[in-house]
Amino acid sequence: MVKNFIYFLLFVLAVIATAELIGIQSFTIGSMTISMLPLVFAIAIAMLLGLPYLRKGILKKIYSKKNVEFASKYLIFIMLPLMARYGSDVAPQIKEILQVGWVFIIQEIGNLGTVLIGLPIAILIGLRREAIGATLGIGREGELAYISEKYTLESPEGRGVISLYVIGTLFGTMFFSIFAPVLLDFGIRVEALAMASGVGSGSMMSAASATLVARVPEMESTILAYASASQLLTSFIGTFTMVFLAAPLQQFMYKFFVRGDKK
Amino acid sequence: MSPTMRRYIRYALVLLLSVSFILFAQEIKLLKNPDSTPITSMTFIGLGILWLFSFLGVIIADLMKMVPIKVIRDFPILGWVSITSLTLCLISDFFVEAIQSVDFLAITTPILTVAGISVANRLVDLRKTSWKIAIVAVFVFAGTYICSALLAQMGLLFAGH
């Protein structure tokens, strides 16, 4: 048992070292610059080597049941120093943040984008009640709890939210890490993108803001301060936005689209 | 030893593990790029402070579980740690200076490594999700991000920022 855990520790160090030695890789497609940070390589390597049919020999010991359980149980604690770091990013800029405080609140409404953009697409490609679960939010714990309370997780709505949860867990950070700076090339200001990064998942916010920092390093302190302030705000009022805005809007749009569909 | 005590000791050790990983990542980052954030005595103090603030946040989150207001009880532990750290950083600039000598990206790499391992057993769940939801997921993630960014852009414009 202890031996497996030592393998786990060494493996984590090896993955960190590999990811850091690969470093930041940027490439351009047309006018878009795509940057990949060590964190993307880290999660990709750790996930790929954990594929069930690769788990033989040493990998089987590293990805033992106990070790994977340890990783998922304590992931949140491994993340805490990052959250503590954000305090030091926000503190020096607290005045500026409070000055544009209302902008932070306004952009929270942007979290309705999951319904506004996601729901029509979902219905267009033929999803029905699953779409309710899959587009209410970005499918984190908050939505999971709400949907399970209202529809249970065995319902189509429940399947929708669970699927989104799984996809978000596996690919969310990679998606935001790559997608966030792409919008820079569409002329959106880095401050706005930093604010938008507070999507409601700590790791997705970190991935989005980290890539923004890599692209605009001279704005590092502002980016991290705005992103984490917005994230904090989302954790406070995100539930309200979901229950009082996203859910009613979704019901309204769902009825509208599905009725139009039958004609 | 009481179970609560044992639980806190376990948290303390996991947090220690986390900051050790960060130090290691920052070291390797320096090997790769000697111009990145240097490791000085302040880095060690910074890591110690990150450890301490995280631990304080855990305790505060536990205490807040007793508050009869649901929003406060349900507030995530990650948020409590940020608030604890923010409050203490507002009180003293020394905390800010020390924490800032820890490289930001070096903090993110170990987390995503552990995250990658933690989801290893969920990869099979992917087979149960349909490709349709995968398409929807792209629009859901992009949707929230784009809408928030556009609103923020307009807001900043009005604020004359």
Side-chain angles (χ1 to χ4, degrees):
Chain A
M1 243 12 124
V2 180
K3 212 166 157 196
N4 278 358
F5 190 66
I6 292 170
Y7 286 134
F8 168 81
L9 293 183
L10 293 176
F11 178 72
V12 172
L13 294 180
V15 175
I16 294 173
T18 314
E20 287 294 345
L21 290 175
I22 297 173
I24 301 176
Q25 300 291 331
S26 300
F27 48 93
T28 48
I29 305 173
S31 59
M32 284 190 294
T33 305
I34 298 195
S35 309
M36 290 169 91
L37 299 180
L39 65 93
V40 172
F41 301 116
I43 191 170
I45 296 170
M47 269 168 54
L48 284 177
L49 292 180
L51 285 174
Y53 41 89
L54 284 179
R55 280 192 221 173
K56 286 175 191 111
I58 185 92
L59 282 176
K60 197 175 170 191
K61 288 178 185 158
I62 292 164
Y63 289 92
S64 71
K65 194 165 170 280
K66 275 259 158 89
N67 283 344
V68 174
E69 267 171 21
F70 176 86
S72 35
K73 190 172 171 201
Y74 290 107
L75 175 63
I76 202 129
F77 291 90
I78 298 281
M79 275 184 81
L80 292 182
L82 174 65
M83 296 300 136
R85 151 91 199 202
Y86 285 127
S88 79
D89 291 306
V90 175
Q93 314 231 10
I94 191 86
K95 276 206 188 103
E96 290 97 290
I97 289 176
L98 291 178
Q99 254 169 24
V100 290
W102 63 275
V103 182
F104 278 87
I105 293 175
I106 296 278
Q107 66 82 32
E108 277 296 310
I109 299 170
N111 292 349
L112 297 181
T114 57
V115 180
L116 285 174
I117 298 180
L119 189 66
I121 300 282
I123 293 189
L124 196 69
I125 60 175
L127 289 175
R128 286 299 174 263
R129 285 173 58 197
E130 291 95 328
I132 300 276
T135 65
L136 181 60
I138 57 165
R140 300 327 296 162
E141 285 73 7
E143 288 91 45
L144 214 53
Y146 179 80
I147 294 281
S148 92
E149 205 175 309
K150 200 166 169 193
Y151 303 97
T152 78
L153 290 180
E154 285 74 41
S155 64
E157 290 87 349
R159 275 204 305 279
V161 74
I162 291 178
S163 301
L164 192 73
Y165 180 80
V166 171
I167 293 169
T169 309
L170 295 174
F171 304 112
T173 47
M174 283 194 244
F175 176 81
F176 278 107
S177 171
I178 292 167
F179 183 68
V182 165
L183 294 178
L184 274 179
D185 299 316
F186 284 91
I188 299 192
R189 288 171 54 179
V190 72
E191 293 95 327
L193 293 179
M195 271 188 210
S197 302
V199 288
S201 146
S203 53
M204 293 184 202
M205 177 273 283
S206 305
S209 53
T211 333
L212 291 174
V213 169
R215 277 288 298 278
V216 196
E218 63 277 13
M219 298 281 284
E220 170 170 341
S221 51
T222 309
I223 295 170
L224 296 181
Y226 279 28
S228 44
S230 156
Q231 173 71 17
L232 213 49
L233 191 65
T234 306
S235 13
F236 264 124
I237 65 173
T239 318
F240 297 103
T241 324
M242 171 179 76
V243 176
F244 295 113
L245 297 175
L249 174 71
Q250 190 182 42
Q251 288 302 328
F252 175 78
M253 282 176 66
Y254 184 79
K255 282 184 192 128
F256 178 80
F257 281 122
V258 172
R259 202 188 315 152
D261 209 48
K262 279 178 191 156
K263 276 179 195 167
Chain B
M1 215 178 342
S2 72
T4 322
M5 192 70 182
R6 214 173 305 154
R7 193 161 54 95
Y8 281 121
I9 290 176
R10 207 174 317 133
Y11 293 159
L13 289 176
V14 173
L15 288 172
L16 190 64
L17 188 64
S18 177
V19 292
S20 317
F21 284 154
I22 297 169
L23 182 66
F24 178 76
Q26 189 162 340
E27 181 70 53
I28 303 286
K29 199 178 274 297
L30 269 175
L31 282 181
K32 160 95 181 166
N33 174 14
D35 294 331
S36 60
T37 321
I39 297 181
T40 62
S41 53
M42 270 310 247
T43 313
F44 286 91
I45 298 174
L47 288 168
I49 292 174
L50 289 178
W51 179 89
L52 181 69
F53 287 2
S54 304
F55 195 64
L56 285 176
V58 172
I59 295 174
I60 291 174
D62 272 358
L63 291 176
M64 291 298 171
K65 290 271 184 306
M66 296 167 203
V67 174
I69 303 165
K70 194 173 185 300
V71 191
I72 292 189
R73 250 181 310 164
D74 291 348
F75 195 62
I77 189 167
L78 299 170
W80 285 121
V81 171
S82 288
I83 290 177
T84 307
S85 168
L86 173 60
T87 313
L88 292 165
C89 283
L90 284 172
I91 293 171
S92 167
D93 280 343
F94 174 75
F95 293 137
V96 176
E97 199 193 329
I99 294 177
Q100 293 288 327
S101 57
V102 180
D103 187 82
F104 173 70
L105 286 177
I107 304 180
T108 60
T109 314
I111 294 172
L112 274 287
T113 307
V114 178
I117 297 172
S118 77
V119 296
N121 289 346
R122 293 210 206 125
L123 280 168
V124 283
D125 293 347
L126 259 192
R127 256 183 262 146
K128 283 182 236 154
T129 74
S130 76
W131 58 271
K132 284 182 178 172
I133 301 235
I135 294 176
V136 171
V138 172
F139 286 95
V140 163
F141 292 149
T144 180
Y145 197 72
I146 292 173
C147 288
S148 289
L150 288 177
L151 287 172
Q153 175 99 341
M154 282 192 282
L156 288 172
L157 206 70
F158 278 120
H161 225 261

